[in-house]
Amino acid sequence: MSQEIDAQAELILAAEDCAPELFDEMHTFSTLNDRRVLLTLVAHGPVLLRGGRGTGKSAFMIAASRQLYPAIPQAAALGVYMSLRHAPLLKSTGEAYERILAQIVIRKVQETLGDLANDFDPHPDAGSVQVALSRLAATLGKRIVLFFDDAAHLGREASLEEFFDIYRMLSSSVVSCKAAIYPGVTRFGTRFDVYNDATVIDLLRSDEFPGFREIFLEVMEGRYFDAFGEDVFRSSLSRGGAAGFLGQSVLGNMRGFVFACNALKAACADGRNIGLPELGESLIQLARNYYWPLLDEIQPKLGKYEPMVAVARQIAELLFEECGQKARNPRDMLIHREVDERLAKPLQILEYAGFISKREASRAMKSGGRGARYALNLCVLLEQTPGSRLTKELFERWTMHPREEAVQFNKTSKLAAIQLPALPESAELAIFNEPIDKLGKSAAYPYGLTAQKLQVLTEAGIRTVGDLAETDDKTLDALPKIGRAMVTRIRNVLGQAIWM
């Protein structure tokens, strides 16, 4: 492992922030399912890659684009990857939205092809871009695959209907559109039939699937080779066992797994070998310093759904207290279908934040009717377990197969009594009004900017996140101690602050 990878292993939390020369060394796609996802992404036809925050959607799309031209000169298709983390898209509708999105596509095609795109300069509207892409495909003698990353935003649904109208328009026999979306929160519009107009791939890494432990062991070995050698684990715990358990604890979420490894590394900074106490300490630290604060971080990014965060927190406290106090500490719960549908939005927020993960849409319940089955985040569950200590018995129970019977929340449970607030018709994202200091390094923003950079921005009159979003790259590049590389870094931080 290079020193650069060792230095960045703990910091790179989004694939789009990873330098191209480090991407292949820090991302692995070795399972049969991973290879199937990549093959589908590079093949002809529209695809929607659906997954929660931190599940690896960006990594898959970037990896797929790197299997196409110009990265692979002999490839039969041109791959154009573009992130839609552009604040103007969130604030635009109608013709303005179409123009901005068209401009992004045009610019990314030009950047990808360089001198070969000299004749590619259509008018910034969907129809003109469609015609120009078809002509470009004929000129190159290759299909074109457009990878739209961050197409959906949890707090802004108004513009998605427009996005999918353009998505359909650009798709043709020579142009394939791929888009990354979130589960359960995306409105496709009346003209887009999700199951007829695209192939949907769900990114779900579950400990119920074969090869789960091997995936996370591979990531641990790739990112933390020096920190987690076999010799640092006690005889009662293998490196593979620790990696698999951490992956299971964060519900198979890759970003959560990176945080878990960081927490474990910090817990053993004094030279302690790793055993169950250290694993448990890491999980508790993650629950208190990452997952619960994450709800506060999400809140200003939800627009009209901002009031739902308080309800999501109330639901989480109820669920984990109820499940954590059970003698058998089950890691699953069933929520009656009617309750699940009524509380859909706060439950989606909890799933987005990594507290829960829906594993089955419908399962029979003892009390009658059917309910959705959710897996529980073990970090938060351990925190609510009496003593908050990872014992050998608890470790074995949580890693055993088959799983313990799920806790059931029926139509008369305390969960069913939770009330939802009235929501406004629309609301702007409050994150844009947050002070620029919000982007500083912290537990919630480990990717944040230094105090020195924040001071430079403030002295230039950039005082809020919204001010920064509206400042162009040329202006930022001209500021003292910024430069082109730092502009890219600032844009990445801004994108993560708004999109997470």
Side-chain angles (χ1 to χ4, degrees), residues 164-214:
F164 285 108
D165 283 347
I166 297 170
Y167 177 98
R168 282 191 64 195
M169 182 179 292
L170 296 182
S171 299
S172 69
S173 60
V174 293
V175 178
S176 301
C177 293
K178 324 288 180 174
I181 62 172
Y182 296 122
V185 298
T186 303
R187 292 180 181 174
F188 299 97
T190 57
R191 292 179 292 274
F192 188 87
D193 186 332
V194 60
Y195 292 106
N196 287 326
D197 290 334
T199 298
V200 180
I201 301 176
D202 285 302
L203 282 186
L204 175 63
R205 289 188 172 93
S206 169
D207 57 292
E208 300 171 55
F209 298 163
F212 177 85
R213 167 174 156 168
E214 288 71 23

Side-chain angles (χ1 to χ4, degrees), residues 14 16-17 83-91 150 153 182 255 297 300-301 352 429-441 445-450 453-454 457 462-473 476 485-500:
E16 56 267 46
D17 296 343
S83 173
L84 301 188
R85 288 184 174 189
H86 294 264
L89 283 175
L90 287 178
K91 298 181 177 183
D150 295 303
H153 187 283
Y182 296 122
R255 188 175 301 176
E297 184 190 348
K301 308 173 187 184
Y352 179 77
L429 303 187
I431 185 66
F432 289 119
N433 297 320
E434 294 281 349
I436 196 70
D437 290 347
K438 180 79 173 182
L439 303 183
K441 287 186 177 181
Y445 289 88
Y447 43 74
L449 302 176
T450 64
K453 302 304 180 189
L454 291 172
L457 295 174
I462 302 172
R463 303 187 182 278
T464 67
V465 174
D467 291 340
L468 182 59
E470 294 174 0
T471 304
D472 60 42
D473 289 357
L476 290 176
M486 182 51 62
V487 170
T488 300
R489 175 65 177 163
I490 289 172
R491 289 299 178 206
N492 288 339
V493 172
L494 179 65
Q496 290 182 3
I498 298 172
W499 271 262
M500 294 188 58

